[in-house]
Amino acid sequence: MRTNALDRAISKHGKPKTITVDHGTEFTSRALDEWAYRRGIALDFIRPGKPVENGHIESFNGKLRDECLNAHQFLSIDDARRKIEAWRMDYNLHRPHSALRQLSPAEFLKRRSNEDEEAALVLI
């Protein structure tokens, strides 16, 4: 199993205490279990047949499938990487999300960071 993307996410955003996963083979592998154990991260498995317990990722997976994977023909691994990365950048940097007050995730994070800084100044 390739865990490079998980390690990059940790280096950029910090280490989570847990990662919620379903019972798919990609999440029940010995390699993921070992990776999480070595980093002190607990794997929190949803109950079998209960995808709504991990609704955010189910929603994301549906959007990725409908808007990217089903919408493109991939001619090579490099072509797939380019197209998926372009979709990911649009999803995170430009597209408004209703759950984030119609902000993109990047704009939401930026505003939240500014609000946290302002709150910290008030507390000082």
Side-chain angles (χ1 to χ4, degrees):
M1 172 176 199
R2 309 211 71 205
T3 54
N4 301 347
L6 295 170
D7 286 325
R8 283 193 308 273
I10 287 172
S11 68
K12 184 173 183 178
H13 302 289
K15 183 179 79 167
K17 292 178 183 175
T18 63
I19 298 176
T20 302
V21 296
D22 65 18
H23 289 269
T25 56
E26 68 275 22
F27 297 120
T28 57
S29 71
R30 197 172 288 162
L32 179 63
D33 188 50
E34 180 181 332
W35 175 89
Y37 175 78
R38 288 178 185 248
R39 285 154 184 80
I41 299 170
L43 298 179
D44 180 24
F45 288 90
I46 65 170
R47 292 178 293 167
K50 302 289 183 183
V52 1
E53 291 181 0
N54 201 8
H56 293 292
I57 197 60
E58 293 297 327
S59 174
F60 171 81
N61 286 346
K63 286 178 177 55
L64 173 63
R65 189 179 319 102
D66 293 344
E67 299 171 6
C68 184
L69 302 178
N70 291 346
H72 295 287
Q73 181 177 10
F74 303 111
L75 305 175
S76 66
I77 293 292
D78 287 335
D79 182 47
R81 286 181 178 137
R82 280 190 301 275
K83 289 173 179 171
I84 293 167
E85 179 64 8
W87 182 87
R88 186 187 72 81
M89 295 298 288
D90 178 62
Y91 184 87
N92 286 317
L93 300 177
H94 306 293
R95 179 187 303 187
H97 295 251
S98 60
L100 302 177
R101 302 183 309 225
Q102 295 304 320
L103 299 171
S104 70
E107 184 62 25
F108 181 81
L109 183 61
K110 181 179 174 185
R111 288 191 186 183
R112 182 174 172 201
S113 295
N114 290 341
E115 290 169 4
D116 289 347
E117 287 174 12
E118 289 173 8
L121 290 175
V122 170
L123 294 174
I124 292 176

